[in-house]
């Protein structure tokens, strides 16, 4: 395949997409798809690629936002899932943070409140979908309802089993309304997670990030891997595909998510809206003012 405009030999969209026959266990969390596996300068190559894409990402986001002012309906939803310490916060700071905040809405979904539990699980999700011209970001999402809800037996198995189909229908309707959906699972190894948790305990400036409950969830690691694979394989569709991003290397995970956003925004090709006034007349009025 010919090199992409960013210099990667294979589009990240192609390299990371979940397709038929996918198995999570076959994804090496330290691998670097679309960059290859060469040693030595691969990190420097990745850093150069990310730096080169920063301005383009910002420009595309501004065009998407501006296009909506002219009536455009396109918008993008980035869903980020992953085990604790997989790097979701780093994605928010180092990738989403590259664009104008007025064109981004970030929702960090926590455990459902008492009020939210009285409603169907998608009830709290729908109002947080991005409007025209916006990039919406879900830090965790409706997928918690087939992940932790399944692993922790928070609802009967018949309930979470129905949710895969409900999610597919919801996402199909959302996509049909003009939303490009990019779903990312940050795939970290158990060993790397242990090292990141240990670092939080060794550094006072990291204590605030440590949650004793993370160790309880870690004890259910294998169950979560099964739940993730089920979610990935049952809800990766043509209108809302999943992308599994190896996350043991933080720099690669950030690069991969940036490139996924770039590739999808390029495909949208947002345009500056035309002036809704007489430009020459306004130039004359300005000169005379």
């Amino acid at each position: 395949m010919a090199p992409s405009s960013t210099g990667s030999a294979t589009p990240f969209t192609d390299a990371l997409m979940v397709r038929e026959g996918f198995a999570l266990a076959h994804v090496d969390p330290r691998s670097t798809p679309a960059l290859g596996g060469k040693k030595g300068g691969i990190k420097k190559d990745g850093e150069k690629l990310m730096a080169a894409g920063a301005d383009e990402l910002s420009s595309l986001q501004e065009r998407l936002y501006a296009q909506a002012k002219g009536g455009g309906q396109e918008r993008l939803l980035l869903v980020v899932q992953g085990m604790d310490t997989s790097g979701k916060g780093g994605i928010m700071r180092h990738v989403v943070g590259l664009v104008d905040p007025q064109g981004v809405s970030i929702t960090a979904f926590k455990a459902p409140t008492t009020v939210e539990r009285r409603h169907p699980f998608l009830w709290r999700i729908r109002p947080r979908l991005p409007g025209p011209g916006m990039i919406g970001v879900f830090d965790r999402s409706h997928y918690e309802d087939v992940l932790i809800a399944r692993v922790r037996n928070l609802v009967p198995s018949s309930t979470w089993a129905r949710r895969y189909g409900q999610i597919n229908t919801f996402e199909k309707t959302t996509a049909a309304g003009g939303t490009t959906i990019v779903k990312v699972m940050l795939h970290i190894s158990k060993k790397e997670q242990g090292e990141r948790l240990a670092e939080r305990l060794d550094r006072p400036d990291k204590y605030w990030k440590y949650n004793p409950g993370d160790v309880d969830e870690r004890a259910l690691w294998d169950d979560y891997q099964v739940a993730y694979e089920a979610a990935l394989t049952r809800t990766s569709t043509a209108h809302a595909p999943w992308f599994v991003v190896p996350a043991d290397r933080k720099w690669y995970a950030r690069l991969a998510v940036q490139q996924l956003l770039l590739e999808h925004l390029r495909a949208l090709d947002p345009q500056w809206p035309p002036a809704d006034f007489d430009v020459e007349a306004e130039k004359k009025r300005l000169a005379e003012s």
Side-chain angles (χ1 to χ4, degrees):
M1 182 177 292
S4 70
S5 59
T6 60
S8 173
T10 304
F12 283 75
T13 298
D14 291 343
L16 301 172
M17 186 182 294
V18 172
R19 295 182 172 84
E20 186 176 356
F22 173 85
L24 187 59
H26 295 166
V27 179
D28 179 358
R30 287 194 61 78
S31 62
T32 56
L35 286 183
K38 65 180 182 180
K39 297 181 180 179
I42 189 171
K43 182 176 180 180
K44 289 184 178 179
D45 290 345
E47 290 172 343
K48 289 178 181 177
L49 187 56
M50 187 160 184
D55 287 344
E56 184 184 6
L57 180 61
S58 178
S59 176
L60 285 166
Q61 180 268 328
E62 185 179 9
R63 281 161 47 189
L64 181 69
Y65 186 76
Q67 180 175 264
K69 300 301 181 183
Q73 294 300 303
E74 291 83 359
R75 72 289 299 270
L76 186 146
L77 174 64
L78 172 65
V79 175
V80 183
Q81 289 284 157
M83 296 290 287
D84 297 311
T85 78
S86 60
K88 295 182 292 293
I91 297 300
M92 302 306 144
R93 289 191 301 275
H94 298 283
V95 181
V96 180
L98 294 174
V99 302
D100 189 335
Q102 73 174 336
V104 177
S105 61
I106 300 176
T107 304
F109 286 99
K110 306 298 183 182
T113 64
T114 301
V115 172
E116 289 170 341
R117 284 197 295 270
R118 295 193 190 115
H119 293 82
F121 77 105
L122 291 170
W123 180 81
R124 67 174 183 157
I125 305 297
R126 297 181 193 277
R128 309 307 299 178
L129 290 171
M134 297 292 291
I135 294 178
V137 183
F138 286 177
D139 180 351
R140 300 188 187 272
S141 66
H142 44 298
Y143 282 95
E144 293 297 295
D145 292 286
V146 291
L147 292 169
I148 189 171
R150 171 177 173 163
V151 172
R152 286 290 187 177
N153 297 311
L154 301 181
V155 296
S157 60
S158 59
T159 298
W160 57 252
R162 286 195 303 270
R163 289 175 175 172
Y164 300 110
Q166 292 169 334
I167 287 172
N168 286 338
T169 299
F170 164 66
E171 292 179 345
K172 185 175 182 178
T173 301
T174 299
T179 302
T180 294
I181 303 173
V182 182
K183 301 184 300 192
V184 171
M185 186 259 186
L186 299 174
H187 183 40
I188 189 174
S189 67
K190 189 175 184 180
K191 177 176 181 294
E192 178 67 19
Q193 186 200 55
E195 292 173 358
R196 292 183 186 182
L197 288 172
E199 181 186 29
R200 292 180 180 182
L201 289 172
D202 287 339
R203 292 177 50 179
D205 63 323
K206 298 282 188 178
Y207 289 168
W208 67 275
K209 298 179 72 174
Y210 185 81
N211 180 355
D214 291 346
V215 177
D216 298 327
E217 297 303 300
R218 181 173 165 81
L220 299 169
W221 185 272
D222 291 343
D223 293 333
Y224 272 107
Q225 301 308 296
V226 171
Y228 263 108
E229 180 164 313
L232 294 167
T233 56
R234 296 184 66 174
T235 64
S236 188
T237 60
H239 51 266
W242 272 105
F243 301 95
V244 174
V245 172
D248 274 14
R249 303 174 195 257
K250 292 180 180 179
W251 65 265
Y252 175 79
R254 295 164 185 173
L255 168 67
V257 176
Q258 182 211 49
Q259 295 297 311
L260 286 170
L261 285 175
L262 276 172
E263 290 172 9
H264 282 82
L265 285 168
R266 288 189 196 118
L268 283 174
D269 191 24
Q271 300 296 310
W272 298 113
D276 57 0
F277 51 84
D278 187 324
V279 176
E280 294 306 317
E282 289 304 306
K283 286 181 179 180
K284 181 179 180 181
R285 289 181 65 237
L286 178 61
E288 294 172 349
S289 65

